[in-house]
Amino acid sequence: MKTKTNTIAVVGATGKTGARVINQLQRLNYSTRALSRKSEPAFDWADRTCWPTALEGVDAVYVTYYPDLAVPQAESDMQAFVDVARAAGVKHLVLLSGRGEDGAQRAEEVVKASGLEWNIVRASWFMQNFSESFMLDGLQGGELVLPKPKALEPFIDVDDIADVVVAALTRNDLRNQLLEVTGPALLSFAECVQVIAQASERDIGFQTLPVDTYLAAAKAEGLPEDIAWLINELFVNVLDGRNASTTKTIEDVLGRPARTFEHYVASTVKTGVWSVSA
Ligand SMILES: NC(=O)c1ccc[n+]([C@@H]2O[C@H](COP(=O)([O-])OP(=O)(O)OC[C@H]3O[C@@H](n4cnc5c(N)ncnc54)[C@H](OP(=O)(O)O)[C@@H]3O)[C@@H](O)[C@H]2O)c1
């Protein structure tokens, strides 16, 4: 198959969604540019001087912000990013956003007002936070300890997010739309841990602490201040019940139901990621 002429860049190309998006685009024969701090050319959110070179010759870009669009710096970084993208000749920007996060919604407004064609893929909490992110250590060690969440969450499979992002990048009929994506069911963290424990045939405990107690202990073990701020924001504000509902966007865009938590666990347990004892 001939390589398509448009170049699609992925910012955060080694991340949970970015790696999946770039794999799919390459399978579809798009010309891609993977961007992260170690790519060539490099892209670093902390160094705006490298952005123009990173975006040179790029037609469309999928943007994941690090560490999270909820952080105060995100809005100004996104404004600077869309300005550089427009000047570099980028036509279309797809932003990964977080559901119910005030900071993320300010960054979304920047993208919508940028003059570029746009999509916002606004996602609920990822299922893969249990296997590729901060909850993995606890699960491997036999007990997950978290700040006490106040509400249920419609966890989404990152593979579904990648499918929607690729659709947004490649389908003209989806342009200039907000795509709010969730998993198919509201779940508690305790239920999720139970499903993982059962599938991996292990005893895995689950304990919650008041957020202040949790953060004091985590900071004593070296958790950086900005990540502590983010955890507080996510558990106190974002998980307060505002996101305790599902959407039908996956079905509307992809013509099939969203993947279930059981499906995610059944496929992930085969990798052995939860069998390791830390
Ligand atoms: N986790 C959730 O439940 C959830 C839910 C909704 C939305 N989100 C959003 O998801 C976004 C993160 O996307 P993700 O989970 O796909 O990524 P991720 O797995 O957190 O990976 C981060 C990516 O960013 C790169 N990166 C790290 N620091 C960087 C820097 N200073 N400059 C440039 N690149 C940097 C990393 O590569 P290198 O380290 O090699 O540079 C990696 O490719 C956040 O903005 C968050 O708001 C997350």
Side-chain angles (χ1 to χ4, degrees), residues 79-194:
Q79 186 60 61
F81 184 89
V82 297
D83 292 343
V84 170
R86 213 178 27 247
V90 173
K91 307 272 180 310
H92 179 205
L93 189 156
V94 177
L95 175 69
L96 175 64
S97 181
R99 205 171 176 228
E101 297 177 9
D102 294 342
Q105 264 121 70
R106 285 194 292 275
E108 291 177 9
E109 290 310 314
V110 170
V111 169
K112 284 155 79 175
S114 66
L116 302 170
E117 293 190 281
W118 60 271
N119 288 99
I120 311 289
V121 178
R122 187 193 280 166
S124 56
W125 270 55
F126 301 169
M127 295 178 186
Q128 278 76 1
N129 290 335
F130 289 96
S131 50
E132 299 175 31
S133 190
F134 71 101
M135 293 193 279
L136 179 59
D137 280 356
L139 294 170
Q140 288 179 334
E143 184 182 47
L144 180 62
V145 181
L146 290 179
K148 194 169 174 49
K150 292 183 230 156
L152 302 181
E153 175 66 17
F155 292 95
I156 183 169
D157 193 316
V158 163
D159 286 322
D160 280 341
I161 299 178
D163 290 347
V164 169
V165 167
V166 169
L169 285 165
T170 58
R171 277 173 44 186
N172 288 333
D173 61 311
L174 295 172
R175 287 295 150 85
N176 303 325
Q177 287 183 38
L178 165 67
L179 303 168
E180 184 156 339
V181 292
T182 72
L186 290 172
L187 297 168
S188 69
F189 285 81
E191 285 172 286
C192 293
V193 172
Q194 206 177 10

Side-chain angles (χ1 to χ4, degrees), residues 8-13 18-19 21-22 25 33-36 60-63 169:
I8 304 179
V10 173
V11 175
V21 167
I22 212 146
L25 291 173
R33 183 172 306 164
L35 294 173
S36 68
V61 60
Y62 170 53
V63 181
L169 285 165

Side-chain angles (χ1 to χ4, degrees), residues 12-18 36-37 43-45 64-69 96-98 123-126 129:
T14 54
K16 290 185 286 303
T17 64
S36 68
R37 288 171 299 178
F43 181 92
D44 190 339
W45 285 109
T64 64
Y65 185 75
Y66 191 84
D68 196 292
L69 284 177
L96 175 64
S97 181
S124 56
W125 270 55
F126 301 169
N129 290 335

Side-chain angles (χ1 to χ4, degrees), residues 127-128 157 159-160 184 195 199 256-270 274:
M127 295 178 186
Q128 278 76 1
D157 193 316
D159 286 322
D160 280 341
V195 175
R256 55 140 181 97
R259 293 171 170 98
T260 63
F261 193 77
E262 287 72 16
H263 175 276
Y264 153 72
V265 170
S267 52
T268 305
V269 78
K270 292 183 201 147
W274 294 309

